[in-house]
Each structure stands twice: as C-alpha cells, then as structure tokens.
Amino acid sequence: MSKRAGHMNLLAMINNGGHHLAAWQHPKGQAGAGLNIQNYTHIAQVAEKGLLDAVFIADVVALWGQDLEALTRTSRGEHYEPLTLLSYLAGATQHIGLIATATTSYNEPYHIARKFASLDHLSGGRAGWNVVTSVVGAEARNFGRDAHYLHNERYERAEEFVDVVRKLWQSWEEGAVIKDTKNSQYFIPEKVKNIHYKGKHFSVEGPLNISRTPQGEPVLVQAGASESGKRLAARIAEVIFSPHDDIKAAKKYYHDIKTTASQFGRTKESIRILPGITPVVGKTRQEARDFF
Ligand SMILES: Cc1cc2nc3c(=O)[nH]c(=O)nc-3n(C[C@H](O)[C@H](O)[C@H](O)COP(=O)(O)O)c2cc1C
C-alpha cells in the first residue's frame, strides 16, 4: 500500500457477480457471475493496470444470506474461499496487493498466521488480512455453536487472536533461513523461537512452520463500527474501511479512529481510512447513466 502523503489509496472489492445483487442478470454481467475465474483474473489485472493498491475479497463462512428463496435470485449462494482465490490471482498479477477476509471467531491463530504468511511469500509481499469477527448468525452453527459470540466477547477474542498471529509471524527472525549447503544447515535455530503463548482464549507454543514473510507482517485491515470494533481497528489496522456514507458521520469516525490510535502510540499517518464508493463507468456521463 502506498503511504505517500497526498496520495489516495484505491482498492477494488471484487464480488462474484457484481456489487448489485441482481448484477449477474445484466446482459453484460452473466459471463462474469459466480465462480468464473477468468472474470476475477480480468478484474484483478485491470485494477493492477490502473495502478490500484489492492483487490479485496470479503467473506462469510456460511451461505451469504438467511432467506433461501431470496438467495436463489442472487449469485451469492456460492463464493470462493478468499485465500485460495488470492493465491491463484497472485500468479496472474505482479504487484497489486491481495487482501483476504478471515474471521477471528471461527479460526485458530496458528492456521491464520500460516495461511497469510504463505500468501505473502508466494505473492512476493502482497498479502493483506481483513480481520473480521463475523456478523452472520449462521456462521456460528457451522462451527459447533448454537449462537454467535456476544459482541464484546468476539472483539475481546479478536484482539487476543491478532496479538498471537503477530507473535507467530515474528517467531522467525530475519535471516533465519541460510540454506548453507556446505555445512548442511537450512536455518539458524537461535533465530527461530517458540512463542509460549497462554492467554484467555488461546494457548500456542509456536514457532510458525514458515519463515518470516517478505513484508514481515501482512497488511492488517479492519472495518469496526462499534466502540470495541473501532478500538480494534485503531489498535492494529493499517487500512480501515469506513462504514459511513454521510460526511458528518465519516468525519467523526475518522477523528475517533485517529484519536484512539494515538492513545495506542500510533501515528495518524500510519493509518489509511478508506470510504466505499460504487462507480458506474462509461465513456460519457450519459453512457454511465444508460448502463445503470
Ligand atoms: C467495506 C466493509 C467490508 C466488510 N467486509 C466484511 C466481511 O467480508 N466479512 C464480515 O464478516 N464482515 C465484514 N464487514 C463488517 C465489519 O467487519 C464490522 O463487523 C461491521 O462494520 C460492524 O462493526 P462492528 O463489528 O464493530 O459492530 C465489512 C464492513 C465494511 C464496512
């Protein structure tokens, strides 16, 4: 992600059938809907050519909607697992960032640290993690729970989760892998450390089973709107999606995040806050209106 002052950051959020729920039914949309990997590849390559910072894949670990009848009329009934999809897109692109969503409510830190480290390695340092705590009740029922964690509980777990993931990413020091064929030594053991973590929600010995990544730590992304959500975002995220579409609320959000971040010893410049837009592209204003 570019952090140059005065430079705007632009991300493309790729949905499997367009942003509008009925977009897959548009005559120009059908070929792109669903799991069509050529469509994802095309969008990622166009975004890269247009010098966007990253592509972003949202996720829910359940069917994306409660009402089956309504779902049958959208293309949201199926979607790729984001890390798998972005591993593919890493091979089809050269420099654009690759941000995958993964929930801290229905994962374990070791799995997540390992998967994002793998994406960062195989993409040459382009991985980002959108840290979510899950919002859809059905996700809980896919992971042995009758109901979702309570709001505060899920953010408490998320804070601890991210801390453990970061410790795992740091468990391999820079320069640990030496691949010294003369002395038959692949890595230096003193540079690879257990983390011996024991907390309220997690107990992880470490170290990670993959070396320090090109970025050291993949970029952390968050979009909390509640007090506990904003606290997590302000504490850990480099990129924050602003959930507001009116300027007054957006300004307050910006102010709250940056103030809380400074309480965590972070600089204002270390965080980029990105509001969402839905552009309709045409050669002329009229062409864009007609398309819509
Ligand atoms: C642009 C954007 C993308 C988001 N993507 C996801 C997602 O992929 N999966 C998910 O479970 N939540 C997603 N969320 C929800 C947020 O993580 C968060 O739960 C929501 O903004 C409500 O805030 P709160 O959790 O602090 O109450 C997204 C929110 C925004 C604004």
Side-chain angles (χ1 to χ4, degrees), residues 13 56-60 64 101 103 130-136 139 151 154-155 222-230 241-244 274 276:
M13 177 174 180
F56 159 63
I57 309 293
D59 195 41
V60 163
W64 211 312
T101 298
T103 176
N130 177 33
V131 181
V132 302
T133 59
S134 292
V135 282
V136 178
E139 292 176 87
H151 193 277
R154 68 186 214 232
Y155 272 102
Q222 228 281 315
S226 60
E227 285 313 308
S228 40
K230 281 193 285 189
F241 296 139
S242 156
H244 302 285
L274 309 184

Side-chain angles (χ1 to χ4, degrees), residues 188-203:
I188 303 169
E190 294 78 26
K191 290 192 175 224
V192 181
K193 305 249 165 56
N194 291 112
I195 65 165
H196 294 303
Y197 180 85
K198 275 197 196 310
K200 184 169 173 191
H201 300 277
F202 306 106
S203 170

